[in-house]
Amino acid sequence: EFLRGRNEIRAFLARKRAAELDYRVIKNVRGCRENRMAARFAYEARDAGGDWFRSHGNGLWESDAQGLMVRRVASTSDMPVRADERLFDWPQGRRPDGHPGLSDLGL
């Protein structure tokens, strides 16, 4: 999906947030320079039917002088997981200190 302009971005994010329930993410920053950041990421979420998914990939974020995102390039793969296969099982909110990172989890 290729988005153009802030209105399309807002609509996309609203659809994404409504569809991905109990979302948990871990990001590993690979590099950061000036207004760009590259990261490896993985997240888990469930859909409205209660099915869980794990998504993982790489992303590049570029921001303007005000810190607003002007470009995002990501390659993401999604796979279903059973509830008992989840790895991101902390309570809603910030990932707790000491929780394993992506490499520690074998991702």
Side-chain angles (χ1 to χ4, degrees):
E1 188 170 351
F2 297 92
L3 307 173
R4 303 261 185 245
R6 297 192 73 74
N7 288 338
E8 286 185 21
I9 293 168
R10 284 186 184 112
F12 170 79
L13 290 174
R15 287 191 316 272
K16 185 173 170 54
R17 288 184 187 128
E20 295 176 341
L21 308 173
D22 294 322
Y23 178 93
R24 308 285 191 284
V25 65
I26 297 176
K27 293 180 184 174
N28 284 25
V29 174
R30 298 303 228 182
C32 189
R33 184 176 57 192
E34 298 171 4
N35 64 332
R36 293 186 185 130
M37 179 181 74
R40 185 167 68 102
F41 62 87
Y43 64 87
E44 291 180 346
R46 66 175 175 82
D47 63 17
D51 295 318
W52 285 93
F53 296 87
R54 182 176 303 125
S55 303
H56 62 275
N58 295 290
L60 168 71
W61 293 267
E62 186 176 333
S63 60
D64 64 13
Q66 289 75 42
L68 296 175
M69 187 184 306
V70 295
R71 182 173 169 222
R72 176 183 184 251
V73 179
S75 176
T76 307
S77 297
D78 305 314
M79 60 182 276
V81 294
R82 295 187 322 260
D84 64 338
E85 296 174 315
R86 290 184 56 224
L87 300 174
F88 303 177
D89 56 358
W90 62 86
Q92 187 69 37
R94 181 183 174 279
R95 178 171 54 119
D97 293 339
H99 189 283
L102 295 177
S103 296
D104 299 323
L105 293 168
L107 299 175

